[in-house]
Amino acid sequence: MKKIMIIIVSIWIAMTSLVYADDVDLFGIEESDAVVRTINEFNVVRQSLGLSPMTINEDLKDMAKMHSKYMNHNYVLSSIEESDYEFFRGRYPWDRAAYFDYDADYVYEFVKKDIVNYGQGLSKLINDPVGRYILFDPMYIEAGMAIEEGYVTYLFGGNQEEASTFVNYPYRDQTDVVTQWHGDSYDAIYEDVMAENKVGLPITVTHYGGDIEMLLAVDIKLRNQNKDEKVDFELLMPGDYYLLKNTLTILPIKPFDYNTSYDVHVEFDMLKTDGEIVDYEVNYSFTTEGETLDLDKSPYITRGTFTEDLVKEFGYNLVEPLESKFIDVPLSSQQSIYIYTASREGLINGLSANEFSPDLNITKEQAYIIFVRAFENKNDPIIVTDEGLLNGYLDHLSISDWARSYLLKASELGIIADVKGLIQPDKYLTKDEFELMVQLYNKTTSTLSN
């Protein structure tokens, strides 16, 4: 019989100028590409932790797709399906695993709503001690995920591992660790802790391969390396919270400082339920993220501003929206008419059927895609004369697969801003870089018109 563990997570999104724009499915990218990209980025983390890479399983993808459709159609956020609801495929995830012929012994399901993209949702799961407890379990080696109108399903599967290993997170030399955390399990794990509403990211040491009876001679130190000051924290011992049975959790009581390195020392003797005693000691450091920029002072250009400026630049006839296409772009907003026009012209899509997220930053490769689409809407298609046009850039291999054909056309059009031999496709586009892009475009098109 299939074995299953289930968690239901509803999350809110705190949008800032530096938040999660790299993975945004801004242009209707194929969903399969988005899943592949998310898993590839997750495997970078797994590699840093010494874990084997995770692969995409088509059965799990089909399961996730059908369950997201079930949730969206029936307006429920749950891993339990009701038989009298449409798209029912089994009450529990293990029932649905049997229906879809998924043959691994263990399946774990997370469900979420209204996240920006797969990567952002997965990051929130990793930042939460309960989520990472599952995601870093070596036995989960296959994944599938799907979204339907804001309802997202993540599925992970695999078979029991016999090996014994420790996983600590944040990991050694990790950068961009969030300074403030208040995830779904905050209330449960901080229930008896006097702490601020938002705290530094909890630090966990989890043992996989045999249950912990107790920890002995526990010695924990957390130090702000920049200030050479110890950091106050509380400890959550294994089993103190039922969903963290084999995890020692260090609970900061205040937020971390920005751009700061923290030293971690963890030492204890672990008594396992089978009587074995294991000595454990680790010393390492991690670095926190940079301070979030004020949106008005940010050097980057947002999706909304980019769309407005581009529609103006190309001289599109504005189409007055009679109804709000995106729930986060009200008709009363200044950018509504430009975003609606760009959508009607096929230049952009929303993050979902009804959301646009105008305040998110835009990456360079995403901006080039819109430029090319806008040009080809008003001119003949761009003919690429040399498939190796991008090879001269030092970072051409970092271009996303779904963007490469567009960047080839952008190079042919002469609008790629060379930065010391780099395209920097995944970097945020600054306002100055946008102006340069427009200048290059105007120079090219003025030549074409002569």
Side-chain angles (χ1 to χ4, degrees), residues 119-368:
Q120 189 252 12
L122 196 61
S123 293
K124 284 188 172 289
L125 288 175
I126 293 173
N127 284 341
D128 193 297
V130 175
R132 78 177 73 140
Y133 184 88
I134 300 302
L135 291 173
F136 297 149
D137 191 326
M139 77 175 178
Y140 292 111
I141 58 173
E142 297 177 320
M145 56 194 74
I147 184 170
E148 184 79 17
E149 299 292 343
Y151 288 89
V152 185
T153 303
Y154 294 87
L155 281 166
F156 302 93
N159 296 308
Q160 185 66 55
E161 287 274 340
E162 298 299 328
S164 176
T165 187
F166 288 94
V167 174
N168 56 277
Y169 192 90
Y171 52 82
R172 183 183 303 275
D173 298 328
Q174 183 173 346
T175 59
D176 294 327
V177 172
V178 296
T179 59
Q180 299 184 43
W181 177 82
H182 187 116
D184 294 282
S185 65
Y186 174 90
D187 290 341
I189 65 178
Y190 274 86
E191 182 179 12
D192 299 321
V193 178
M194 295 294 294
E196 296 187 11
N197 186 52
K198 290 185 178 181
V199 295
L201 187 70
I203 301 166
T204 54
V205 179
T206 301
H207 178 257
Y208 299 101
D211 290 337
I212 299 175
E213 178 69 30
M214 68 175 64
L215 297 184
L216 306 170
V218 178
D219 180 26
I220 310 293
K221 296 181 178 67
L222 181 60
R223 184 176 70 94
N224 182 317
Q225 190 181 107
N226 294 36
K227 296 180 179 179
D228 193 20
E229 294 177 352
K230 70 174 185 178
V231 177
D232 293 331
F233 60 85
E234 296 286 345
L235 280 183
L236 192 69
M237 302 299 286
D240 284 353
Y241 181 53
Y242 75 103
L243 291 177
L244 296 172
K245 184 177 181 181
N246 295 306
T247 295
L248 173 68
T249 309
I250 302 171
L251 302 173
I253 60 176
K254 295 180 179 180
F256 291 142
D257 292 340
Y258 291 106
N259 289 315
T260 299
S261 294
Y262 286 84
D263 295 326
V264 182
H265 169 81
V266 179
E267 185 176 3
F268 54 75
D269 295 331
M270 179 182 70
L271 174 61
K272 299 172 63 175
T273 53
D274 62 5
E276 180 185 4
I277 296 179
V278 178
D279 298 333
Y280 180 80
E281 181 178 0
V282 65
N283 295 279
Y284 70 100
S285 62
F286 62 84
T287 305
T288 56
E289 64 190 346
E291 188 169 4
T292 301
L293 297 174
D294 185 282
L295 189 60
D296 293 332
K297 298 179 181 178
S298 171
Y300 304 108
I301 189 167
T302 64
R303 295 184 62 182
T305 301
F306 179 87
T307 302
E308 177 183 354
D309 290 351
L310 197 72
V311 167
K312 291 177 179 177
E313 180 64 34
F314 277 86
Y316 280 102
N317 294 323
L318 299 181
V319 181
E320 189 72 42
L322 300 178
E323 60 181 1
S324 180
K325 180 174 177 60
F326 302 108
I327 60 176
D328 54 357
V329 184
L331 292 176
S332 59
S333 72
Q334 171 191 336
Q335 294 176 343
S336 176
I337 190 170
Y338 301 100
I339 292 171
Y340 186 80
T341 299
S343 178
R344 283 285 300 270
E345 294 290 343
L347 306 184
I348 57 154
N349 294 319
L351 295 179
S352 66
N354 59 359
E355 290 185 346
F356 182 73
S357 296
D359 293 333
L360 286 180
N361 296 330
I362 188 170
T363 64
K364 294 182 181 181
E365 65 183 358
Q366 294 168 346
Y368 286 129

Side-chain angles (χ1 to χ4, degrees), residues 13 15 91 103 106 147 189 200 227 287 317 325 350 417 419 447:
I13 304 169
M15 297 291 187
R91 181 167 177 78
D103 57 4
Y106 287 84
I147 184 170
I189 65 178
K227 296 180 179 179
T287 305
N317 294 323
K325 180 174 177 60
V419 181
T447 302

Side-chain angles (χ1 to χ4, degrees), residues 77-97:
L77 184 69
S78 175
S79 281
I80 300 175
E81 295 187 3
E82 302 296 337
S83 59
D84 54 344
Y85 282 4
E86 194 165 349
F87 300 113
F88 171 82
R89 293 296 184 274
R91 181 167 177 78
Y92 299 106
W94 64 82
D95 298 320
R96 301 193 287 276

